[in-house]
Amino acid sequence: MSTLAHSRTGSPASAGEPSLALEGIGKAFGQVKALTRVDLTAYPGEIHFVVGDNGAGKSTTLKILSGMFRPDVGSVRIGGIEVHMRDAAEARQFGIAVVHQDLALVECLDIATNMALGDIPRRGRIMLDRARMERDAAKVLSGLKIRVGSVRTQIGLLSGGERQIVAIARAVRTNLPIILLDEPTAALGVRETAHVGEILDELRAQGKTIICISHDLEFVFRHADRITVMRLGNSVATLMRGSTNRDAVVGMITGTIGAAAESAQE
Ligand SMILES: Nc1ncnc2c1ncn2[C@@H]1O[C@H](COP(=O)(O)OP(=O)(O)O)[C@@H](O)[C@H]1O
Ligand SMILES: [Mg+2]
């Protein structure tokens, strides 16, 4: 590991063991080679951004981490142990929560129900425990300083930003140690983006491992601990935020700057 990784102060986990590591991941869809070689090591108490041009393989990488796709080659380690996740449910068992780009919220259901999907509280064997579901949702939202009016509001009535926040809150509600987000600010205004940033900072303070895809480099540089640049199906470099800058990252995204000299990875 690089000495830079140990030099930060204020992050509880920079000196710790990786919570998650991808090594030599490759993935093809028929003739399309989506990933050639992806290495990524993430730590608890850090926000790790993944950046790169469209088609670079960012979403595919996240989907491998969330159990949606299986890699053709390479290894996934969680807490140092190699795992083979077969689906999203298994990823959850390994401590991984995901906020996908399409959010996967159900328009006609309310906030509380959406937040509980997949894990609906019940009374007895079949009765839905509506009161508990609403209490849970309200508690998670207030913990994230999110005001949505009523948790009985239908998702279909919310703005893009509010939906994004509900989707993040749903992942946070699971209280899993690793949270993956695919472009959480893509459709958001300035204030909503800042709010998502505050939530990520809060999750970092709680010691979570956050892996976030973003094309918004201003957002990235405001919140990142580490940045992995992807290009044409490869992870080009992982950089500590404090030891790089926007021009260098843009250069790596576009391929005008080589990576070796800047990489903070082993
Ligand atoms: N399910 C799929 N089937 C076929 N090709 C795919 C699939 N998912 C992604 N790809 C291809 O893999 C490459 C990487 O895509 P993706 O991971 O979505 O990139 P990014 O998120 O960085 O924009 C692209 O060429 C894309 O067209
Ligand atoms: Mg994508």
Side-chain angles (χ1 to χ4, degrees), residues 33-51:
K33 189 123 187 142
L35 303 179
T36 302
R37 184 181 172 104
V38 176
D39 300 314
L40 187 153
T41 305
Y43 296 83
E46 289 195 1
I47 304 177
H48 192 137
F49 279 95
V50 178
V51 302

Side-chain angles (χ1 to χ4, degrees), residues 27 30 32 80 84 105 170 199 237:
K27 175 76 184 171
V32 181
H84 299 273
L105 298 171
R170 178 172 64 183
I199 294 173

Side-chain angles (χ1 to χ4, degrees), residues 29 32-35 52-61 63 69 101 182 213:
F29 298 101
V32 181
K33 189 123 187 142
L35 303 179
D53 216 344
N54 286 337
K58 305 179 299 293
S59 294
T60 304
T61 300
K63 285 173 181 167
F69 295 150
Q101 202 160 9
D182 195 347
I213 295 175

